Amino acid sequence: MRELEKLEAEICNLVELSLSDKTYCDQVSFLLSEKTIDKAWKHFFIDIRDYTCVIHSDEIRHIKNEHHDDVYLICKIPYYLEKFVKLERNIVSDKKTGKPVISLIFIKRNENNSVKMVKTNLSREKILRLKTLFEVV
């Protein structure tokens, strides 16, 4: 089994556990692949070297509540990070503190739709946290 497939299986397991138990609290973290880092720099001039992607149980439940049918896409995040076609930088306000938060939006196009994945970018910590993920037709 390839590394990408192992990682996707680990994330799918986290999704299942997070959805089956509302008190379950865990996360999967992984370094971004060289392919993702190179593409982000070469095509969009965004430096994400040494960044870690984190997917937490709470974020999974948020996506389930907000974008019910799209929760199954979470398992494919490593694939979407490698195969994205567009990367946008955005600034949003934190709902609790009101402070600006820099986020990155990775977009992967499929035949009939696009998948948008928003990752908040905490640059000092070099962590990309999953904010939301959804399909756009």
Side-chain angles (χ1 to χ4, degrees):
M1 190 182 265
R2 292 184 25 224
E3 283 299 313
L4 191 63
E5 292 168 346
K6 287 180 185 177
L7 182 56
E8 287 178 1
E10 184 179 353
I11 294 169
C12 281
N13 186 51
L14 177 67
V15 169
E16 290 298 321
L17 292 169
S18 300
L19 296 178
S20 65
D21 180 359
K22 291 181 182 178
T23 62
Y24 185 76
C25 185
D26 201 2
Q27 67 183 28
V28 171
S29 60
F30 55 94
L31 290 173
L32 296 176
S33 72
E34 287 300 318
K35 187 174 182 177
T36 301
I37 294 166
D38 290 345
K39 188 188 288 187
W41 180 249
K42 286 179 184 172
H43 299 288
F44 304 99
F45 304 107
I46 296 175
D47 185 4
I48 52 176
R49 264 178 302 158
D50 302 321
Y51 273 69
T52 300
C53 180
V54 175
I55 302 168
H56 192 276
S57 297
D58 293 336
E59 297 152 352
I60 292 168
R61 287 186 284 270
H62 166 79
I63 292 169
K64 173 74 171 168
N65 291 337
E66 298 292 319
H67 310 286
H68 182 75
D69 295 334
D70 297 333
V71 73
Y72 72 93
L73 298 172
I74 294 171
C75 297
K76 300 297 285 178
I77 285 176
Y79 171 77
Y80 295 143
L81 284 171
E82 282 199 1
K83 303 293 183 181
F84 71 94
V85 295
K86 190 172 182 184
L87 178 59
E88 299 172 355
R89 191 185 320 244
N90 196 5
I91 298 176
V92 295
S93 295
D94 184 282
K95 289 182 180 179
K96 293 180 183 174
T97 65
K99 292 182 179 181
V101 177
I102 299 170
S103 64
L104 297 176
I105 303 169
F106 292 85
I107 300 171
K108 165 70 174 94
R109 288 198 175 86
N110 296 324
E111 288 179 22
N112 300 323
N113 59 11
S114 294
V115 174
K116 283 192 174 187
M117 178 175 38
V118 178
K119 309 289 267 175
T120 58
N121 173 3
L122 307 175
S123 58
R124 279 174 282 170
E125 297 173 16
K126 292 199 171 196
I127 295 174
L128 293 175
R129 297 190 187 281
L130 179 62
K131 174 79 173 156
T132 191
L133 178 133
F134 52 92
E135 268 186 329
V136 180
V137 182

